[in-house]
Amino acid sequence: MAIITGIVAFLYHLPQFYKWLLKPYYITSVLMTIAFPVVRKLPGLCEHLATQRDDGNSCDFDWREVEILMFLSAIVMMKNRRAFTVEQHMGNLFLFSKVANVILFFRLDIRLGILYLALCLAFVMTCRPPLYMGPEYIKYFSDKTIDEELQKDNRVTWIVEFYANWSSDCQSFAPVFANLSLKYNCAGLRFAKVDIGRYGELSTRYKVSTSPLAKQLPSLVLFQGGKEVMRRPMVDKKGRAVSWNFNEENIIREFNLNELFQKSKKLSKGRGSNQEEQTVSQPEGGSNGLHSESTDAEHPTESKKDQ
């Protein structure tokens, strides 16, 4: 039954998967992932390749190549145990497949190894995973707006993601954070993001390191009354992030989102009552800031600009 359910789910999401996969970054990654098997099996080329097989068949894998590919499969499976999005699963597969291909090509022919390594370097420098552009209830802060927004209303709780566009972990986490904002955003509980890769001074001010060695990206910080209450991942005395999985279940549990949402809905109702009273006394054709804020919270925004 579980197999049937999995097949049905795969077929249901197949059109979306194709749309996601048919992007230059993923097309190029797939081609680079399968490069060595294609070269080893390609008629007209494989006959001229070296081999260590006893039968001399250069168009099939030798025992060492099989061993490397099996080791690659084991590494990918181990890494994917901690992955929680399709992007992370595919990212692990692409990364370790390229490493294995570099080893296999250098072992086969040093010229092919140098060529493939050069292609990998060019790919890293020119191609980036596509940014998430789906629906979300997220406000994008800049270095000039973050303090003002956090301190504007002490009744509002903010969950702020500190991220950098170059971080693959941040890119993988983007749809998860967007989905949480769609479920829990209300007048008293707001979601925001700030690109500390762009606004470097905020990295120091909010003590979020952008160093890849620190592994602090992304960082989620809960603000209440303009002050930090908690953050994940936590940071040890050496400045390194304590290992923590950024999946929906962990975030909902650690940040107590269900309880926060229930409390925040009361604030929303209170604001709604005040808004009705103000609307009655408002001259015809007039407007007020509260109505504007409520409207913004009712419609997902797809803007990637700082607001």
Side-chain angles (χ1 to χ4, degrees), residues 34-181:
I34 63 174
F36 183 81
V38 169
V39 169
R40 176 56 90 180
K41 295 287 187 178
L42 188 65
L45 176 61
C46 63
E47 292 87 357
H48 305 286
L49 301 177
T51 183
Q52 294 184 8
R53 290 178 60 90
D54 295 334
D55 57 8
N57 182 9
S58 60
C59 291
D60 205 353
F61 301 115
D62 61 39
W63 67 273
R64 181 63 71 180
E65 291 167 350
V66 172
E67 190 177 59
I68 293 173
L69 291 173
M70 290 180 65
F71 182 70
L72 165 67
S73 301
I75 292 294
V76 171
M77 289 177 64
M78 289 173 57
K79 288 294 183 180
N80 278 345
R81 289 176 61 184
R82 301 186 61 182
F84 51 89
T85 65
V86 175
E87 289 84 355
Q88 285 185 325
H89 284 283
M90 297 300 293
N92 288 333
L93 176 61
F94 293 151
L95 173 62
F96 292 102
S97 294
K98 290 169 188 172
V99 173
N101 279 338
V102 169
I103 297 172
L104 290 167
F105 275 120
F106 268 104
R107 181 176 174 274
L108 183 65
D109 188 320
I110 190 171
R111 293 169 296 180
L112 291 176
I114 293 173
L115 175 61
Y116 184 82
L117 183 59
L119 290 174
C120 287
L121 293 175
F123 175 79
V124 169
M125 291 187 292
T126 59
C127 294
R128 298 292 181 188
L131 298 176
Y132 174 79
M133 296 297 292
E136 57 187 23
Y137 284 121
I138 296 175
K139 191 173 185 69
Y140 285 77
F141 292 154
S142 70
D143 56 343
K144 298 179 181 179
T145 62
I146 182 170
D147 292 331
E148 177 186 353
E149 291 290 343
L150 292 178
Q151 299 172 13
K152 182 185 295 185
D153 189 340
N154 289 336
R155 298 172 300 172
V156 177
T157 297
W158 286 93
I159 298 179
V160 182
E161 178 195 350
F162 293 85
Y163 76 102
N165 280 327
W166 51 260
S167 169
S168 59
D169 290 335
C170 293
Q171 292 166 353
S172 299
F173 179 62
V176 177
F177 194 59
N179 190 48
L180 287 170
S181 73

